[in-house]
Coordinates of all heavy atoms in Angstrom, one line a residue:
M1 N -39.0 -2.9 -24.8 CA -37.8 -2.3 -24.3 C -38.1 -1.3 -23.3 O -39.1 -0.5 -23.4 CB -37.0 -1.7 -25.5 CG -36.6 -2.7 -26.5 SD -35.1 -2.3 -27.4 CE -35.6 -0.9 -28.4
T2 N -37.3 -1.2 -22.2 CA -37.6 -0.3 -21.1 C -36.4 0.6 -20.9 O -35.2 0.3 -21.2 CB -37.9 -1.0 -19.8 OG1 -36.8 -1.9 -19.5 CG2 -39.2 -1.9 -20.0
G3 N -36.6 1.8 -20.3 CA -35.5 2.7 -20.0 C -35.1 3.5 -21.2 O -35.5 3.2 -22.3
P4 N -34.2 4.5 -20.9 CA -33.7 5.3 -22.0 C -32.8 4.5 -22.9 O -32.2 3.6 -22.5 CB -33.0 6.4 -21.3 CG -32.7 5.9 -19.9 CD -33.7 4.9 -19.6
A5 N -32.8 5.0 -24.2 CA -31.8 4.4 -25.2 C -30.6 5.3 -25.1 O -30.3 6.0 -24.2 CB -32.5 4.4 -26.5
V6 N -29.9 5.4 -26.3 CA -28.5 6.0 -26.3 C -28.4 6.9 -27.5 O -28.9 6.6 -28.6 CB -27.4 4.9 -26.3 CG1 -26.1 5.5 -26.7 CG2 -27.4 4.2 -25.0
A7 N -27.7 8.0 -27.3 CA -27.3 8.9 -28.4 C -25.8 9.1 -28.2 O -25.3 9.3 -27.0 CB -28.0 10.2 -28.4
A8 N -25.0 9.1 -29.3 CA -23.5 9.1 -29.2 C -22.9 9.9 -30.3 O -23.5 10.1 -31.4 CB -23.0 7.7 -29.1
S9 N -21.7 10.4 -30.1 CA -21.0 11.2 -31.1 C -20.3 10.4 -32.2 O -20.0 11.0 -33.2 CB -19.9 12.1 -30.3 OG -19.0 11.2 -29.7
S10 N -20.1 9.1 -31.9 CA -19.6 8.3 -33.0 C -20.1 6.9 -32.9 O -20.9 6.6 -32.0 CB -18.0 8.3 -33.0 OG -17.6 7.6 -31.8
R11 N -19.7 6.0 -33.8 CA -20.2 4.7 -33.8 C -19.1 3.7 -34.2 O -18.1 4.0 -34.7 CB -21.3 4.6 -34.9 CG -20.8 4.8 -36.3 CD -21.7 4.3 -37.3 NE -22.7 5.2 -37.8 CZ -23.5 5.0 -38.7 NH1 -23.5 3.8 -39.4 NH2 -24.4 5.9 -39.1
W12 N -19.4 2.4 -33.8 CA -18.6 1.3 -34.3 C -19.5 0.1 -34.5 O -20.7 0.2 -34.1 CB -17.5 1.0 -33.2 CG -18.0 0.8 -31.8 CD1 -18.3 1.8 -30.9 CD2 -18.2 -0.4 -31.1 NE1 -18.7 1.2 -29.8 CE2 -18.6 -0.1 -29.8 CE3 -17.9 -1.8 -31.5 CZ2 -18.9 -1.1 -28.9 CZ3 -18.2 -2.8 -30.5 CH2 -18.7 -2.4 -29.2
V13 N -19.0 -0.9 -35.1 CA -19.9 -2.1 -35.4 C -19.3 -3.3 -34.7 O -18.1 -3.6 -34.8 CB -19.9 -2.3 -36.9 CG1 -20.7 -3.6 -37.2 CG2 -20.6 -1.1 -37.6
D14 N -20.1 -4.0 -33.9 CA -19.6 -5.2 -33.2 C -19.5 -6.4 -34.1 O -19.7 -6.3 -35.3 CB -20.4 -5.4 -32.0 CG -21.8 -6.0 -32.3 OD1 -22.1 -6.4 -33.5 OD2 -22.7 -6.0 -31.4
E15 N -19.0 -7.5 -33.5 CA -18.7 -8.7 -34.3 C -20.0 -9.3 -35.0 O -19.9 -10.1 -35.9 CB -18.0 -9.7 -33.5 CG -18.7 -10.2 -32.3 CD -18.5 -9.4 -31.1 OE1 -18.0 -8.3 -31.2 OE2 -18.8 -9.9 -30.0
E16 N -21.1 -8.9 -34.5 CA -22.4 -9.4 -35.1 C -23.0 -8.4 -36.1 O -24.1 -8.6 -36.6 CB -23.4 -9.7 -34.0 CG -23.0 -10.9 -33.2 CD -23.9 -11.1 -31.9 OE1 -24.8 -10.3 -31.7 OE2 -23.7 -12.0 -31.2
G17 N -22.2 -7.3 -36.4 CA -22.7 -6.3 -37.4 C -23.6 -5.3 -36.8 O -24.3 -4.6 -37.6
V18 N -23.8 -5.2 -35.5 CA -24.7 -4.3 -34.9 C -24.0 -3.0 -34.6 O -22.9 -2.9 -34.2 CB -25.2 -4.9 -33.5 CG1 -26.1 -3.8 -32.8 CG2 -25.9 -6.2 -33.8
R19 N -24.7 -1.9 -35.0 CA -24.2 -0.5 -34.8 C -24.2 -0.2 -33.3 O -25.2 -0.3 -32.7 CB -25.1 0.4 -35.6 CG -24.6 1.8 -35.7 CD -25.4 2.6 -36.7 NE -26.9 2.5 -36.4 CZ -27.5 3.5 -35.7 NH1 -26.8 4.6 -35.4 NH2 -28.7 3.4 -35.4
E20 N -23.0 0.1 -32.8 CA -22.9 0.4 -31.3 C -22.4 1.8 -31.1 O -21.7 2.4 -32.0 CB -21.9 -0.6 -30.7 CG -22.3 -2.0 -30.9 CD -23.4 -2.5 -30.0 OE1 -24.0 -1.7 -29.3 OE2 -23.7 -3.7 -30.1
P21 N -22.8 2.5 -30.0 CA -22.4 3.9 -29.7 C -21.0 4.0 -29.3 O -20.4 3.1 -28.6 CB -23.3 4.3 -28.6 CG -23.7 3.0 -27.9 CD -23.7 1.9 -28.9
G22 N -20.3 5.1 -29.7 CA -18.9 5.3 -29.3 C -18.7 6.8 -29.0 O -19.6 7.6 -29.2
G23 N -17.5 7.1 -28.6 CA -17.1 8.5 -28.3 C -17.9 9.0 -27.1 O -17.9 8.3 -26.1
S24 N -18.5 10.1 -27.2 CA -19.3 10.7 -26.1 C -20.7 10.1 -26.1 O -21.4 10.2 -27.1 CB -19.3 12.2 -26.3 OG -20.1 12.8 -25.3
V25 N -21.0 9.3 -25.1 CA -22.3 8.6 -25.1 C -23.2 9.2 -24.0 O -22.9 9.3 -22.9 CB -22.0 7.1 -24.7 CG1 -23.3 6.3 -24.7 CG2 -21.0 6.5 -25.7
H26 N -24.4 9.5 -24.5 CA -25.5 10.0 -23.6 C -26.7 9.1 -23.6 O -26.9 8.3 -24.5 CB -26.0 11.4 -24.1 CG -24.9 12.4 -24.1 ND1 -24.8 13.4 -23.1 CD2 -23.9 12.7 -25.0 CE1 -23.8 14.2 -23.3 NE2 -23.2 13.8 -24.5
A27 N -27.5 9.2 -22.5 CA -28.8 8.6 -22.4 C -29.8 9.4 -23.2 O -29.7 10.7 -23.2 CB -29.2 8.4 -21.0
W28 N -30.7 8.8 -23.9 CA -31.7 9.5 -24.8 C -33.0 8.8 -24.6 O -33.1 7.6 -24.8 CB -31.2 9.5 -26.2 CG -32.3 9.8 -27.2 CD1 -32.9 11.0 -27.3 CD2 -32.8 9.0 -28.2 NE1 -33.8 10.9 -28.3 CE2 -33.8 9.7 -28.9 CE3 -32.5 7.6 -28.6 CZ2 -34.5 9.1 -29.9 CZ3 -33.3 7.1 -29.7 CH2 -34.3 7.9 -30.3
Q29 N -34.0 9.6 -24.3 CA -35.4 9.0 -24.2 C -36.0 9.1 -25.6 O -36.0 10.1 -26.3 CB -36.2 9.9 -23.3 CG -37.4 9.2 -22.7 CD -37.1 8.1 -21.7 OE1 -36.4 8.4 -20.8 NE2 -37.5 6.9 -21.9
R30 N -36.5 7.9 -26.1 CA -37.1 7.9 -27.5 C -38.2 8.9 -27.6 O -39.0 9.0 -26.7 CB -37.6 6.5 -27.8 CG -36.5 5.4 -27.9 CD -37.1 4.0 -28.0 NE -36.2 3.0 -27.6 CZ -35.9 2.7 -26.4 NH1 -36.5 3.3 -25.4 NH2 -35.0 1.7 -26.1
G31 N -38.3 9.5 -28.7 CA -39.4 10.5 -29.0 C -39.0 11.9 -28.6 O -39.8 12.8 -28.8
T32 N -37.8 12.1 -28.0 CA -37.3 13.4 -27.7 C -36.2 13.8 -28.6 O -35.6 12.9 -29.2 CB -36.9 13.5 -26.2 OG1 -35.7 12.7 -26.0 CG2 -38.0 13.0 -25.3
N33 N -35.9 15.1 -28.6 CA -34.8 15.6 -29.5 C -33.6 16.0 -28.7 O -32.7 16.7 -29.2 CB -35.3 16.8 -30.3 CG -36.3 16.3 -31.4 OD1 -36.2 15.3 -32.0 ND2 -37.4 17.1 -31.5
Q34 N -33.5 15.6 -27.5 CA -32.4 15.9 -26.7 C -32.0 14.8 -25.7 O -32.8 13.8 -25.5 CB -32.6 17.2 -25.8 CG -33.8 17.0 -24.8 CD -34.0 18.3 -24.0 OE1 -33.7 19.4 -24.5 NE2 -34.3 18.1 -22.8
T35 N -30.8 14.8 -25.2 CA -30.3 13.8 -24.3 C -31.0 14.0 -22.9 O -31.6 15.0 -22.7 CB -28.8 13.9 -24.1 OG1 -28.5 15.1 -23.5 CG2 -28.1 13.8 -25.4
L36 N -30.8 13.0 -22.1 CA -31.4 13.1 -20.7 C -30.8 14.3 -19.9 O -31.4 14.8 -19.1 CB -31.1 11.8 -20.0 CG -32.3 11.2 -19.2 CD1 -33.5 10.9 -20.1 CD2 -31.9 9.9 -18.5
C37 N -29.5 14.6 -20.3 CA -28.9 15.8 -19.6 C -29.2 17.1 -20.2 O -28.7 18.1 -19.8 CB -27.4 15.5 -19.4 SG -26.5 15.5 -21.0
G38 N -30.0 17.1 -21.3 CA -30.5 18.3 -21.9 C -29.7 18.8 -23.1 O -29.9 20.0 -23.5
V39 N -28.8 18.0 -23.7 CA -28.1 18.4 -24.9 C -29.0 18.2 -26.1 O -29.4 17.0 -26.3 CB -26.8 17.7 -25.0 CG1 -26.1 18.0 -26.3 CG2 -25.9 18.0 -23.8
P40 N -29.2 19.2 -27.0 CA -30.0 18.9 -28.3 C -29.2 18.0 -29.2 O -28.0 18.3 -29.5 CB -30.1 20.3 -28.9 CG -29.8 21.3 -27.8 CD -28.8 20.6 -26.8
L41 N -29.8 17.0 -29.7 CA -29.1 16.0 -30.5 C -28.5 16.6 -31.7 O -27.3 16.3 -32.0 CB -30.0 14.8 -30.9 CG -30.6 14.0 -29.7 CD1 -31.5 12.9 -30.3 CD2 -29.5 13.4 -28.9
H42 N -29.3 17.3 -32.5 CA -28.8 17.8 -33.8 C -27.7 18.8 -33.6 O -26.7 18.9 -34.3 CB -29.9 18.3 -34.6 CG -30.6 19.5 -34.0 ND1 -31.5 19.5 -33.0 CD2 -30.4 20.9 -34.3 CE1 -31.9 20.7 -32.7 NE2 -31.3 21.6 -33.5
K43 N -27.8 19.6 -32.6 CA -26.9 20.7 -32.3 C -25.5 20.1 -31.9 O -24.4 20.6 -32.3 CB -27.4 21.6 -31.2 CG -26.7 23.0 -31.1 CD -27.5 23.8 -30.1 CE -26.7 25.1 -29.8 NZ -27.3 25.9 -28.7
A44 N -25.5 19.0 -31.1 CA -24.3 18.4 -30.6 C -23.8 17.4 -31.6 O -22.7 16.8 -31.4 CB -24.5 17.8 -29.3
G45 N -24.5 17.1 -32.7 CA -24.1 16.1 -33.7 C -24.1 14.7 -33.2 O -23.3 13.9 -33.5
L46 N -25.1 14.5 -32.3 CA -25.2 13.1 -31.7 C -26.2 12.2 -32.6 O -27.2 12.7 -33.0 CB -25.8 13.2 -30.3 CG -24.9 14.0 -29.3 CD1 -25.6 14.2 -28.0 CD2 -23.6 13.2 -29.1
E47 N -25.8 11.0 -32.7 CA -26.5 10.0 -33.5 C -27.4 9.2 -32.5 O -26.9 8.8 -31.5 CB -25.5 9.1 -34.2 CG -26.2 8.2 -35.2 CD -25.1 7.3 -35.9 OE1 -23.9 7.7 -35.9 OE2 -25.5 6.3 -36.5
R48 N -28.6 8.9 -33.0 CA -29.5 8.1 -32.1 C -29.2 6.6 -32.3 O -29.0 6.1 -33.4 CB -31.0 8.3 -32.5 CG -31.5 9.7 -32.3 CD -32.9 9.8 -32.9 NE -33.6 11.1 -32.6 CZ -33.4 12.2 -33.4 NH1 -32.5 12.2 -34.4 NH2 -34.0 13.3 -33.1
F49 N -29.3 5.9 -31.2 CA -29.2 4.4 -31.2 C -30.4 3.8 -30.5 O -30.3 3.3 -29.3 CB -27.9 4.0 -30.5 CG -26.6 4.4 -31.2 CD1 -26.2 5.7 -31.1 CD2 -25.9 3.5 -32.0 CE1 -25.0 6.1 -31.7 CE2 -24.8 3.9 -32.6 CZ -24.3 5.2 -32.5
P50 N -31.6 3.8 -31.1 CA -32.8 3.4 -30.5 C -32.8 1.9 -30.1 O -33.6 1.5 -29.2 CB -33.9 3.7 -31.5 CG -33.2 3.8 -32.8 CD -31.8 4.3 -32.5
H51 N -31.9 1.1 -30.7 CA -31.8 -0.3 -30.4 C -30.9 -0.6 -29.2 O -30.7 -1.8 -28.8 CB -31.4 -1.1 -31.6 CG -30.0 -0.6 -32.1 ND1 -29.8 0.6 -32.6 CD2 -28.8 -1.3 -32.2 CE1 -28.5 0.7 -33.0 NE2 -27.9 -0.4 -32.7
V52 N -30.2 0.4 -28.7 CA -29.2 0.2 -27.6 C -29.7 0.9 -26.4 O -29.9 2.1 -26.3 CB -27.8 0.8 -28.0 CG1 -26.9 0.6 -26.8 CG2 -27.3 0.2 -29.3
L53 N -30.0 0.1 -25.3 CA -30.5 0.6 -24.1 C -29.3 1.2 -23.3 O -28.2 0.8 -23.4 CB -31.1 -0.5 -23.2 CG -32.5 -1.0 -23.6 CD1 -32.9 -2.1 -22.7 CD2 -33.5 0.1 -23.7
W54 N -29.6 2.3 -22.5 CA -28.6 3.0 -21.7 C -27.9 2.0 -20.8 O -26.7 2.0 -20.7 CB -29.2 4.1 -21.0 CG -28.4 4.8 -20.0 CD1 -28.5 4.7 -18.6 CD2 -27.2 5.6 -20.3 NE1 -27.5 5.5 -18.0 CE2 -26.7 6.0 -19.0 CE3 -26.6 6.0 -21.4 CZ2 -25.6 6.9 -18.9 CZ3 -25.5 6.8 -21.4 CH2 -25.0 7.3 -20.1
I55 N -28.7 1.1 -20.1 CA -28.1 0.2 -19.2 C -27.1 -0.8 -19.9 O -26.1 -1.3 -19.4 CB -29.1 -0.6 -18.4 CG1 -30.1 -1.3 -19.3 CG2 -29.8 0.3 -17.4 CD1 -31.1 -2.2 -18.5
D56 N -27.5 -1.1 -21.2 CA -26.6 -2.0 -22.0 C -25.3 -1.2 -22.4 O -24.2 -1.8 -22.5 CB -27.3 -2.5 -23.2 CG -28.4 -3.5 -22.9 OD1 -28.3 -4.1 -21.8 OD2 -29.4 -3.6 -23.7
A57 N -25.5 0.1 -22.7 CA -24.3 0.9 -23.1 C -23.3 1.0 -21.9 O -22.1 1.0 -22.0 CB -24.7 2.3 -23.5
R58 N -23.9 1.0 -20.7 CA -23.0 1.1 -19.5 C -22.3 -0.2 -19.3 O -21.1 -0.2 -19.0 CB -23.9 1.3 -18.2 CG -24.5 2.7 -18.2 CD -25.3 2.9 -16.9 NE -24.4 2.7 -15.7 CZ -24.8 3.2 -14.5 NH1 -25.8 3.9 -14.3 NH2 -24.0 3.0 -13.5
W59 N -22.9 -1.3 -19.6 CA -22.2 -2.6 -19.5 C -21.2 -2.7 -20.7 O -20.1 -3.2 -20.4 CB -23.3 -3.7 -19.7 CG -22.7 -5.1 -19.8 CD1 -22.3 -5.9 -18.7 CD2 -22.4 -5.8 -21.0 NE1 -21.7 -7.0 -19.2 CE2 -21.8 -7.0 -20.6 CE3 -22.6 -5.6 -22.4 CZ2 -21.4 -8.0 -21.5 CZ3 -22.1 -6.5 -23.3 CH2 -21.6 -7.7 -22.9
L60 N -21.6 -2.2 -21.8 CA -20.7 -2.2 -23.0 C -19.4 -1.4 -22.7 O -18.3 -1.9 -23.1 CB -21.4 -1.7 -24.2 CG -21.1 -2.1 -25.6 CD1 -21.2 -3.6 -25.7 CD2 -22.0 -1.5 -26.6
A61 N -19.6 -0.3 -22.1 CA -18.4 0.6 -21.8 C -17.4 -0.1 -20.9 O -16.2 0.2 -21.0 CB -18.9 1.9 -21.2
D62 N -17.9 -1.0 -20.1 CA -17.0 -1.7 -19.2 C -16.3 -2.8 -19.8 O -15.3 -3.3 -19.3 CB -17.8 -2.2 -18.0 CG -18.2 -1.1 -17.0 OD1 -17.5 0.0 -17.0 OD2 -19.1 -1.3 -16.2
T63 N -16.9 -3.3 -20.9 CA -16.4 -4.6 -21.5 C -15.7 -4.4 -22.8 O -14.9 -5.2 -23.2 CB -17.5 -5.6 -21.6 OG1 -18.5 -5.0 -22.4 CG2 -18.1 -6.0 -20.3
T64 N -16.0 -3.3 -23.6 CA -15.4 -3.2 -24.9 C -14.1 -2.4 -24.8 O -13.8 -1.7 -23.9 CB -16.4 -2.4 -25.8 OG1 -15.8 -2.3 -27.1 CG2 -16.6 -1.0 -25.3
E65 N -13.3 -2.6 -25.9 CA -12.0 -1.9 -26.0 C -12.2 -0.6 -26.9 O -11.3 0.2 -27.0 CB -10.9 -2.8 -26.6 CG -10.5 -3.9 -25.6 CD -9.5 -4.8 -26.2 OE1 -9.0 -4.5 -27.4 OE2 -9.1 -5.8 -25.6
E66 N -13.4 -0.5 -27.4 CA -13.8 0.8 -28.1 C -13.8 1.9 -27.2 O -14.1 1.7 -26.0 CB -15.1 0.6 -28.9 CG -15.2 -0.5 -29.9 CD -14.3 -0.2 -31.1 OE1 -14.1 0.9 -31.4 OE2 -13.9 -1.2 -31.7
R67 N -13.6 3.1 -27.7 CA -13.6 4.3 -26.8 C -15.1 4.7 -26.5 O -15.8 5.1 -27.5 CB -12.8 5.5 -27.4 CG -12.4 6.5 -26.4 CD -11.7 7.6 -27.0 NE -12.6 8.5 -27.8 CZ -13.2 9.6 -27.2 NH1 -13.0 9.9 -25.9 NH2 -14.0 10.4 -27.9
M68 N -15.6 4.6 -25.3 CA -16.9 5.0 -25.0 C -16.8 5.8 -23.7 O -16.4 5.3 -22.6 CB -17.8 3.8 -24.7 CG -18.2 3.1 -26.0 SD -19.3 1.6 -25.6 CE -20.7 2.4 -25.0
V69 N -17.2 7.1 -23.7 CA -17.2 7.9 -22.5 C -18.6 8.2 -22.2 O -19.3 9.0 -22.9 CB -16.4 9.2 -22.8 CG1 -16.3 10.1 -21.5 CG2 -14.9 8.9 -23.2
L70 N -19.1 7.6 -21.1 CA -20.4 7.9 -20.6 C -20.6 9.2 -20.0 O -19.7 9.6 -19.1 CB -20.9 6.7 -19.7 CG -20.9 5.3 -20.3 CD1 -21.4 4.4 -19.2 CD2 -21.7 5.2 -21.5
C71 N -21.6 9.9 -20.3 CA -21.9 11.2 -19.8 C -22.3 11.1 -18.3 O -23.2 10.3 -17.9 CB -23.0 11.9 -20.5 SG -23.7 13.4 -19.8
H72 N -21.6 11.8 -17.4 CA -21.8 11.7 -16.0 C -23.2 12.2 -15.6 O -23.8 11.7 -14.7 CB -20.7 12.5 -15.2 CG -19.4 11.9 -15.3 ND1 -19.1 10.6 -14.8 CD2 -18.2 12.3 -15.8 CE1 -17.9 10.3 -15.0 NE2 -17.3 11.3 -15.7
R73 N -23.6 13.3 -16.3 CA -24.9 13.9 -16.0 C -26.0 12.9 -16.4 O -27.0 12.8 -15.7 CB -25.1 15.3 -16.7 CG -24.3 16.4 -16.0 CD -24.5 17.7 -16.6 NE -24.0 17.7 -18.0 CZ -24.2 18.6 -18.9 NH1 -24.9 19.6 -18.6 NH2 -23.7 18.5 -20.1
C74 N -25.9 12.3 -17.5 CA -26.9 11.3 -17.9 C -26.9 10.1 -17.0 O -27.9 9.5 -16.6 CB -26.6 10.8 -19.3 SG -27.2 12.0 -20.6
T75 N -25.7 9.7 -16.5 CA -25.6 8.6 -15.6 C -26.4 8.9 -14.3 O -27.1 8.1 -13.8 CB -24.1 8.3 -15.2 OG1 -23.4 8.0 -16.4 CG2 -24.0 7.1 -14.2
A76 N -26.2 10.2 -13.8 CA -27.0 10.6 -12.6 C -28.5 10.7 -12.9 O -29.3 10.3 -12.1 CB -26.4 11.9 -12.2
A77 N -28.8 11.2 -14.1 CA -30.2 11.4 -14.4 C -30.9 10.1 -14.6 O -32.1 10.0 -14.3 CB -30.3 12.3 -15.7
A78 N -30.2 9.1 -15.1 CA -30.9 7.8 -15.4 C -30.9 6.9 -14.1 O -31.6 5.9 -14.1 CB -30.1 7.0 -16.5
G79 N -30.2 7.4 -13.1 CA -30.2 6.6 -11.9 C -29.2 5.5 -11.9 O -28.6 5.2 -13.0
D80 N -28.9 4.9 -10.8 CA -27.8 3.9 -10.7 C -28.4 2.5 -11.0 O -28.8 1.8 -10.1 CB -27.2 3.9 -9.3 CG -26.0 3.0 -9.2 OD1 -25.4 2.7 -10.3 OD2 -25.7 2.6 -8.1
R81 N -28.6 2.2 -12.3 CA -29.2 1.0 -12.7 C -28.2 0.3 -13.7 O -28.6 -0.3 -14.7 CB -30.5 1.2 -13.4 CG -31.5 1.8 -12.5 CD -32.7 2.2 -13.4 NE -33.8 2.8 -12.5 CZ -34.9 3.4 -13.1 NH1 -35.0 3.4 -14.4 NH2 -35.8 3.9 -12.3
G82 N -26.9 0.3 -13.4 CA -26.0 -0.2 -14.3 C -26.1 -1.7 -14.4 O -25.8 -2.3 -15.5
D83 N -26.4 -2.4 -13.3 CA -26.5 -3.8 -13.3 C -27.9 -4.2 -13.6 O -28.8 -4.0 -12.8 CB -26.0 -4.3 -12.0 CG -25.9 -5.9 -11.9 OD1 -26.8 -6.5 -12.6 OD2 -25.1 -6.4 -11.3
R84 N -28.2 -4.9 -14.7 CA -29.5 -5.3 -15.1 C -30.1 -6.2 -14.1 O -31.3 -6.1 -13.8 CB -29.5 -5.9 -16.5 CG -30.8 -6.2 -17.0 CD -30.8 -7.3 -18.1 NE -30.1 -6.8 -19.3 CZ -30.8 -6.2 -20.3 NH1 -32.1 -6.0 -20.2 NH2 -30.2 -5.8 -21.4
R85 N -29.4 -7.1 -13.6 CA -29.9 -8.1 -12.6 C -30.3 -7.4 -11.3 O -31.3 -7.7 -10.7 CB -28.9 -9.2 -12.4 CG -28.9 -10.3 -13.5 CD -27.7 -11.1 -13.4 NE -26.5 -10.2 -13.7 CZ -25.3 -10.7 -13.7 NH1 -25.0 -11.9 -13.4 NH2 -24.3 -9.8 -14.0
R86 N -29.4 -6.5 -10.9 CA -29.7 -5.8 -9.6 C -31.0 -5.0 -9.8 O -31.9 -4.9 -9.0 CB -28.6 -4.9 -9.3 CG -28.6 -4.4 -7.8 CD -27.6 -3.3 -7.6 NE -26.3 -3.7 -8.1 CZ -25.3 -2.8 -8.5 NH1 -25.6 -1.5 -8.5 NH2 -24.2 -3.2 -8.9
W87 N -31.1 -4.4 -11.0 CA -32.3 -3.5 -11.4 C -33.6 -4.4 -11.4 O -34.6 -4.0 -10.8 CB -32.1 -2.9 -12.7 CG -33.2 -2.1 -13.2 CD1 -33.6 -0.9 -12.7 CD2 -34.2 -2.5 -14.2 NE1 -34.8 -0.5 -13.4 CE2 -35.1 -1.4 -14.3 CE3 -34.3 -3.6 -15.1 CZ2 -36.2 -1.5 -15.2 CZ3 -35.3 -3.6 -16.0 CH2 -36.3 -2.6 -16.0
T88 N -33.5 -5.6 -12.0 CA -34.6 -6.5 -12.0 C -35.1 -6.9 -10.6 O -36.3 -6.9 -10.4 CB -34.3 -7.7 -12.8 OG1 -33.8 -7.3 -14.1 CG2 -35.5 -8.6 -13.0
R89 N -34.1 -7.1 -9.8 CA -34.5 -7.5 -8.4 C -35.2 -6.4 -7.7 O -36.0 -6.7 -6.8 CB -33.2 -7.8 -7.6 CG -33.4 -8.9 -6.6 CD -32.0 -9.2 -5.9 NE -31.1 -9.8 -6.9 CZ -29.8 -9.6 -6.8 NH1 -29.2 -8.9 -5.9 NH2 -29.0 -10.2 -7.7
H90 N -35.0 -5.2 -8.1 CA -35.7 -4.1 -7.4 C -37.1 -3.9 -7.9 O -37.9 -3.1 -7.3 CB -34.9 -2.8 -7.6 CG -33.7 -2.6 -6.7 ND1 -33.8 -2.8 -5.3 CD2 -32.4 -2.4 -7.0 CE1 -32.6 -2.7 -4.8 NE2 -31.8 -2.4 -5.8
R91 N -37.4 -4.5 -9.0 CA -38.8 -4.3 -9.5 C -39.8 -5.0 -8.6 O -39.6 -6.1 -8.1 CB -38.9 -5.0 -10.9 CG -38.1 -4.2 -12.0 CD -38.3 -4.8 -13.3 NE -39.6 -4.5 -13.8 CZ -39.9 -4.8 -15.1 NH1 -39.1 -5.4 -15.9 NH2 -41.1 -4.5 -15.6
P92 N -40.9 -4.3 -8.4 CA -41.9 -4.8 -7.5 C -42.6 -6.1 -8.1 O -42.8 -6.1 -9.3 CB -43.0 -3.7 -7.3 CG -42.7 -2.8 -8.5 CD -41.3 -2.9 -8.9
R93 N -42.9 -7.0 -7.3 CA -43.6 -8.2 -7.8 C -45.0 -7.9 -8.1 O -45.6 -7.1 -7.4 CB -43.5 -9.4 -6.7 CG -42.1 -9.9 -6.5 CD -42.1 -10.9 -5.5 NE -40.7 -11.4 -5.2 CZ -40.1 -12.3 -6.0 NH1 -40.7 -12.9 -7.0 NH2 -38.9 -12.7 -5.7
P94 N -45.6 -8.5 -9.1 CA -47.0 -8.3 -9.5 C -48.0 -8.8 -8.5 O -47.6 -9.7 -7.7 CB -47.2 -9.0 -10.8 CG -46.1 -10.0 -10.9 CD -44.9 -9.5 -10.0
Ligands
ZN101 ZN1 -25.5 13.4 -21.1

């Protein structure tokens, strides 16, 4: 898995039973105790979603009817990589 994962203020479960982030959604780098924009997870009551990539959360927010509000500061900090295919195309060839 590449890129930051997600921390969020609430959760919901999709049709496949996977725990998904909801409410206030931030980017979170695994192994750290704060979001990409600098909010301490425990202080803000944010739950970790190590199985959900930030770029997937961005796609999810556009397609789900669940309430997901992506943090603008995390969006800026993570860079404009919302489209996985566009991102892949930018990767240098080996
Ligand atoms: Zn944030």
Side-chain angles (χ1 to χ4, degrees):
M1 299 210 287
T2 58
V6 167
S9 63
S10 68
R11 63 158 90 174
W12 52 283
V13 176
D14 70 15
E15 60 270 19
E16 291 172 359
V18 177
R19 191 168 57 95
E20 304 285 4
S24 177
V25 181
H26 295 263
W28 164 64
Q29 200 74 53
R30 293 173 200 81
T32 67
N33 291 319
Q34 61 177 34
T35 65
L36 226 57
C37 64
V39 175
L41 296 180
H42 64 281
K43 200 174 171 186
L46 296 173
E47 187 179 345
R48 294 171 175 86
F49 294 79
H51 59 294
V52 180
L53 289 177
W54 173 249
I55 53 172
D56 290 337
R58 289 183 59 161
W59 175 82
L60 209 56
D62 284 342
T63 56
T64 184
E65 290 178 7
E66 301 289 335
R67 200 181 77 88
M68 287 178 67
V69 181
L70 299 183
C71 170
H72 291 298
R73 284 181 297 169
C74 282
T75 302
D80 188 21
R81 296 173 181 170
D83 186 326
R84 185 198 290 271
R85 279 161 298 178
R86 197 189 310 153
W87 176 73
T88 303
R89 210 177 295 146
H90 281 308
R91 289 184 74 171
R93 291 178 183 277

